[in-house]
Amino acid sequence: MLVVTQQQIADALKISRETVTKALQDHPKVCSKTKDKVRALADEMGYIPNFTARNLSSKKTRTIGVIVPKISHSFFSSVLELMYKTVRKFGYNLIPMVSFEEKQNEIKNIKTLLSMRVDGIIANISQDTTDHDIYLELKKHGIPVVFFDRVVESDFFSTVTTDDRKASYEIMSYALSKGYRKPAHLAGYVNINIGRERRQGFLDALESFKITPNPSWIIEGGFSEETRSGNARHLLSSDDRPDLIFAFNDSIAKCVYDAADMFKIKIPDELGVIGFGNLEFGSILNPKLSTVALPLQTIADESVRLIIDHVEKKEGNTIKHINLTPEIIIRESCR
Amino acid sequence: MLVVTQQQIADALKISRETVTKALQDHPKVCSKTKDKVRALADEMGYIPNFTARNLSSKKTRTIGVIVPKISHSFFSSVLELMYKTVRKFGYNLIPMVSFEEKQNEIKNIKTLLSMRVDGIIANISQDTTDHDIYLELKKHGIPVVFFDRVVESDFFSTVTTDDRKASYEIMSYALSKGYRKPAHLAGYVNINIGRERRQGFLDALESFKITPNPSWIIEGGFSEETRSGNARHLLSSDDRPDLIFAFNDSIAKCVYDAADMFKIKIPDELGVIGFGNLEFGSILNPKLSTVALPLQTIADESVRLIIDHVEKKEGNTIKHINLTPEIIIRESCR
DNA sequence: CTGAAAGCGCTTACAG
DNA sequence: CTGAAAGCGCTTACAG
């Protein structure tokens, strides 16, 4: 590595290394003439600061770690991309890590981020994470954590969530108002907030329409393709089948479309379908899928803003729970 | 930050700090008893290595930087996710950066990665990158670069590409063999290899079918939604319109579907459509889109393998150009 | 097999 | 406004 160090700049200019550091930092106590000289030469010599050295001595990295369960899912890739933009405005860098929905990886990722000495961590917990000791430990180490979407519910951590319960209630109410009377729910895991909230919104809507939920029509399931499709087919295979399926997410709704196709059940006439997440393919499905859109930009912005508030201990830097309102998107999948 | 340092472990064990380092590194010259003791205590005390310090003194970070133009596009998010997995097998970390298709950001990203002292960089150049001085400079700094997909064609850098020309030729030949005779191409930029190759494959197929290309039916265009849709509509708005459109990628093909819908042109009977990239929505479109699938796993694996070969100067560590074969996926969009 | 010495490149009080 | 000193936590030859 052909490195130019501050020392070399100092030697060339016959000043001390410390003055170079300060000039480069735009420190107030260096006169502007010196600063200009230093910066001009730094450019010319192709000086590139060594963050590893800087971080070691300053104890700050201006870097935020992010932990997501997956990247190749448009919710995560979109939010990550937006976070890259937002973080940059604050002069920070972003280091994303992927847990692949496994707690063990999540823990490893956290350790790696700690080793890298990130200033703070934004996290979205993996599907099978139930205890949160590792995050409490982070807290003990003095490194702030902000959760988004899939969160650890605790007074120790700030969170950015969406009001999935209300959104689910509203879109289900819309569907029920259209006359469907036998609603089912292909649900998410109840140990994660988003699974619980969407299910609760579903139940709220049933209650307000005085419909008794059929327990065997509420199927909890994972995110794997096979499980989803199996559950969808199972629901539709019986003669006494639901006339409305509220899917935990759009991908599961897509499985319902496939299953309906298989049994020659017509959407929306014989079966209403509702998704959640507003993935791109929803408007390509035939009929177009009604779903709920998450405010991606705001999720990214608020998560970043919160973590930086915590890192920099800005005033009003207290634990906050931000709950955003998703948008109901009515298309064609409920008559 | 509640930090446990090697010094503290050494003090507790009444041995030297250097022995602790070596024990933790599994250095051969430390007896296994000492190693066990050190490791047990390190675990107990919650020791977390400080990479910034380690990197500073060892001059190695075991970290690979990746530069992509976007993340929220399934090609990139999928390849990135696979790279995370592959890199981990080699005991490396990955730091992705996003250029947002702008050369200025690409340069900034490279500087940041240099400051972080990554051992090597895997890159996919942005749309408007035409000169590659920055990469040559990287080379001069002794840091290896591997390009994938959108590459700098040069003998100085290893590349991982797909044979888009051949794939385009083959899928176009298939379509032409079905009887279409008025082919158009919504093309990519000719200054990037993938734009050039796909266009060339299109022309190759026309030549082998003795069809003279109509220059006004080859429209170069960007990746923006408006441009794409505008171009698609433009092609189909005239009475003398193409009966086959080869789109540079699936998203553009989707715009062709929309335009065809607008003009009530039936796919595949009145218009054949071909995409490239095999995005998820292709099989949801009606009719299902014929397209070309890229070998994502192999692209990720080979890129990582190459960069690590270069970083570690493994034997046979020479500049290589790996050209993979994509897969033709025939569905319903050509009769 | 273990330890003492030197250094990685930068920053941070502190003194002048 | 500038500089000398000390240190961040770790690794790398080298000596014993």
Side-chain angles (χ1 to χ4, degrees):
Chain A
M1 183 88 97
L2 252 186
V3 272
V4 177
T5 64
Q6 292 184 354
Q7 185 66 67
Q8 289 168 34
I9 298 176
D11 290 348
L13 253 28
K14 300 207 190 310
I15 57 177
S16 79
R17 186 158 42 106
E18 294 72 16
T19 307
V20 174
T21 301
K22 285 173 193 158
L24 257 17
Q25 287 174 151
D26 206 9
H27 194 103
K29 291 198 177 165
V30 174
C31 77
S32 49
K33 242 186 172 169
T34 315
K35 279 184 193 170
D36 289 347
K37 269 200 313 194
V38 170
R39 282 194 283 231
L41 188 64
D43 268 3
E44 196 190 314
M45 297 175 71
Y47 171 73
I48 291 174
N50 183 330
F51 285 177
T52 59
R54 173 186 297 176
N55 297 341
L56 181 59
S57 58
S58 74
K59 303 272 188 182
K60 286 273 158 245
T61 55
R62 291 192 84 79
T63 299
I64 302 295
V66 189
I67 297 178
V68 288
K70 279 184 85 54
I71 292 193
S72 66
H73 178 297
S74 86
F75 172 71
F76 294 115
S77 60
S78 301
V79 169
L80 269 182
E81 184 159 304
L82 294 167
M83 283 181 175
Y84 267 100
K85 280 195 182 151
T86 311
V87 119
R88 200 168 51 171
K89 287 185 202 143
F90 291 92
Y92 276 69
N93 279 120
L94 204 71
I95 299 190
M97 298 265 158
V98 191
S99 71
F100 297 102
E101 299 283 9
E102 282 175 30
K103 191 190 166 189
Q104 282 317 310
N105 290 327
E106 203 173 317
I107 293 176
K108 244 190 252 168
N109 289 340
I110 290 173
K111 295 215 164 138
T112 304
L113 291 174
L114 275 177
S115 283
M116 292 175 163
R117 296 295 189 260
V118 296
D119 293 339
I121 293 178
I122 297 177
N124 187 297
I125 61 178
S126 77
Q127 206 181 147
D128 69 345
T129 297
T130 46
D131 81 296
H132 313 115
D133 297 355
I134 182 82
Y135 289 106
L136 291 170
E137 221 175 293
L138 234 40
K139 194 84 187 174
K140 270 199 322 216
H141 279 258
I143 123 134
V145 182
V146 169
F147 292 100
F148 74 99
D149 187 52
R150 280 146 65 166
V151 308
V152 168
E153 284 159 321
S154 138
D155 289 340
F156 294 126
F157 305 109
S158 286
T159 56
V160 177
T161 49
T162 47
D163 195 343
D164 289 11
R165 178 171 179 172
K166 186 166 156 233
S168 302
Y169 168 79
E170 283 179 0
I171 198 163
M172 273 300 297
S173 297
Y174 164 82
L176 293 173
S177 77
K178 293 290 176 180
Y180 297 106
R181 278 300 169 272
K182 297 161 75 180
H185 181 32
L186 287 171
Y189 287 121
V190 102
N191 65 312
I192 296 189
N193 59 309
I194 55 175
R196 210 162 44 234
E197 295 274 307
R198 293 177 197 176
R199 176 193 300 234
Q200 197 53 55
F202 169 86
L203 294 172
D204 292 349
L206 265 60
E207 195 182 333
S208 89
F209 276 79
K210 314 234 177 295
I211 299 174
T212 311
N214 177 342
S216 64
W217 284 356
I218 300 182
I219 305 182
E220 184 166 321
F223 297 131
S224 90
E225 185 71 30
E226 314 86 71
T227 327
R228 293 165 175 170
S229 301
N231 290 340
R233 278 197 298 271
H234 173 73
L235 272 182
L236 296 181
S237 61
S238 150
D239 278 346
D240 180 31
R241 56 175 158 82
D243 64 359
L244 173 66
I245 298 182
F246 174 44
F248 170 72
N249 66 32
D250 285 357
S251 302
I252 298 177
K254 161 86 165 58
C255 294
V256 173
Y257 272 63
D258 292 341
D261 193 44
M262 190 171 154
F263 292 111
K264 311 254 173 273
I265 299 171
K266 290 210 187 70
I267 303 171
D269 290 342
E270 301 173 86
L271 178 71
V273 182
I274 297 172
F276 205 108
N278 193 30
L279 297 191
E280 192 182 14
F281 64 73
S283 59
I284 298 180
L285 283 169
N286 184 13
K288 296 184 169 130
L289 180 66
S290 292
T291 186
V292 176
L294 270 13
L296 306 179
Q297 179 80 57
T298 318
I299 292 173
D301 287 351
E302 292 293 281
S303 304
V304 167
R305 196 183 53 76
L306 274 177
I307 195 69
I308 290 180
D309 277 1
H310 290 161
V311 165
E312 300 185 349
K313 301 202 180 15
K314 295 208 177 122
E315 75 177 312
N317 160 40
T318 51
I319 297 302
K320 292 202 185 76
H321 299 291
I322 297 181
N323 200 19
L324 304 165
T325 305
E327 185 191 352
I328 306 300
I329 299 193
I330 302 296
R331 289 197 282 237
E332 309 163 350
S333 60
C334 300
R335 60 140 188 270
Chain B
M1 182 88 94
L2 254 184
V3 271
V4 178
T5 64
Q6 292 183 356
Q7 184 67 67
Q8 289 169 36
I9 298 176
D11 290 348
L13 253 29
K14 301 205 190 313
I15 56 177
S16 79
R17 186 158 43 104
E18 294 72 18
T19 307
V20 173
T21 301
K22 285 174 194 158
L24 256 18
Q25 288 174 150
D26 206 11
H27 194 103
K29 292 200 177 165
V30 174
C31 77
S32 50
K33 240 185 174 170
T34 315
K35 280 184 193 169
D36 289 347
K37 267 200 314 196
V38 170
R39 282 194 281 231
L41 188 64
D43 268 3
E44 196 190 313
M45 295 175 73
Y47 170 73
I48 291 176
N50 184 330
F51 284 177
T52 59
R54 174 185 297 175
N55 298 340
L56 182 59
S57 57
S58 74
K59 304 274 189 178
K60 286 274 157 243
T61 55
R62 291 193 83 80
T63 299
I64 302 295
V66 189
I67 297 178
V68 288
K70 280 184 83 54
I71 292 193
S72 67
H73 179 295
S74 85
F75 172 71
F76 294 115
S77 61
S78 301
V79 169
L80 270 182
E81 185 159 305
L82 294 167
M83 284 181 175
Y84 267 100
K85 280 195 181 150
T86 311
V87 118
R88 199 167 51 172
K89 287 185 203 144
F90 290 92
Y92 276 69
N93 280 120
L94 203 71
I95 300 191
M97 297 266 159
V98 191
S99 71
F100 297 102
E101 298 283 9
E102 282 175 29
K103 190 189 165 189
Q104 281 317 310
N105 290 327
E106 203 173 315
I107 293 176
K108 245 191 250 168
N109 288 341
I110 290 173
K111 296 214 164 137
T112 304
L113 291 174
L114 275 178
S115 283
M116 292 174 163
R117 295 295 190 260
V118 296
D119 293 339
I121 293 179
I122 297 176
N124 188 297
I125 60 178
S126 77
Q127 209 182 142
D128 68 345
T129 298
T130 46
D131 82 296
H132 314 114
D133 297 355
I134 182 81
Y135 290 106
L136 291 170
E137 221 174 293
L138 234 40
K139 194 83 188 176
K140 272 201 318 216
H141 279 257
I143 123 135
V145 183
V146 169
F147 292 100
F148 74 98
D149 187 50
R150 280 145 66 165
V151 308
V152 168
E153 284 159 320
S154 136
D155 288 341
F156 295 126
F157 305 109
S158 286
T159 55
V160 177
T161 48
T162 47
D163 196 342
D164 289 11
R165 179 171 179 173
K166 186 166 157 232
S168 302
Y169 169 78
E170 283 179 1
I171 197 162
M172 273 299 299
S173 296
Y174 164 82
L176 293 173
S177 77
K178 293 291 176 181
Y180 296 106
R181 277 301 168 271
K182 297 160 74 181
H185 180 34
L186 287 171
Y189 288 121
V190 100
N191 65 312
I192 296 188
N193 59 309
I194 55 176
R196 212 162 42 234
E197 295 273 308
R198 292 177 198 177
R199 175 193 300 234
Q200 198 52 54
F202 169 84
L203 294 173
D204 292 348
L206 265 59
E207 195 182 332
S208 88
F209 277 79
K210 314 234 179 294
I211 298 174
T212 310
N214 178 342
S216 63
W217 283 355
I218 300 183
I219 305 182
E220 183 166 322
F223 296 132
S224 90
E225 186 71 31
E226 314 86 71
T227 326
R228 291 167 178 169
S229 301
N231 290 340
R233 279 197 299 270
H234 173 72
L235 272 182
L236 295 181
S237 61
S238 151
D239 278 345
D240 180 31
R241 56 174 158 81
D243 64 0
L244 173 66
I245 297 182
F246 174 45
F248 170 71
N249 66 31
D250 285 357
S251 302
I252 298 177
K254 161 87 165 58
C255 295
V256 174
Y257 272 63
D258 292 342
D261 193 45
M262 190 172 154
F263 292 112
K264 311 254 174 272
I265 298 170
K266 289 208 188 72
I267 302 172
D269 289 342
E270 301 173 85
L271 178 70
V273 182
I274 296 172
F276 205 108
N278 194 30
L279 297 189
E280 190 182 15
F281 65 73
S283 58
I284 299 180
L285 282 169
N286 184 13
K288 296 184 170 133
L289 180 65
S290 293
T291 186
V292 175
L294 269 14
L296 306 178
Q297 179 79 57
T298 318
I299 292 174
D301 287 351
E302 293 293 281
S303 304
V304 167
R305 196 182 54 75
L306 274 178
I307 195 68
I308 290 180
D309 277 1
H310 290 161
V311 165
E312 299 185 349
K313 302 204 179 15
K314 295 207 177 124
E315 74 176 313
N317 160 41
T318 50
I319 298 302
K320 291 202 185 79
H321 300 292
I322 297 181
N323 200 21
L324 304 165
T325 304
E327 185 191 353
I328 307 299
I329 300 192
I330 301 297
R331 289 197 282 236
E332 309 162 350
S333 59
C334 301
R335 62 141 186 270

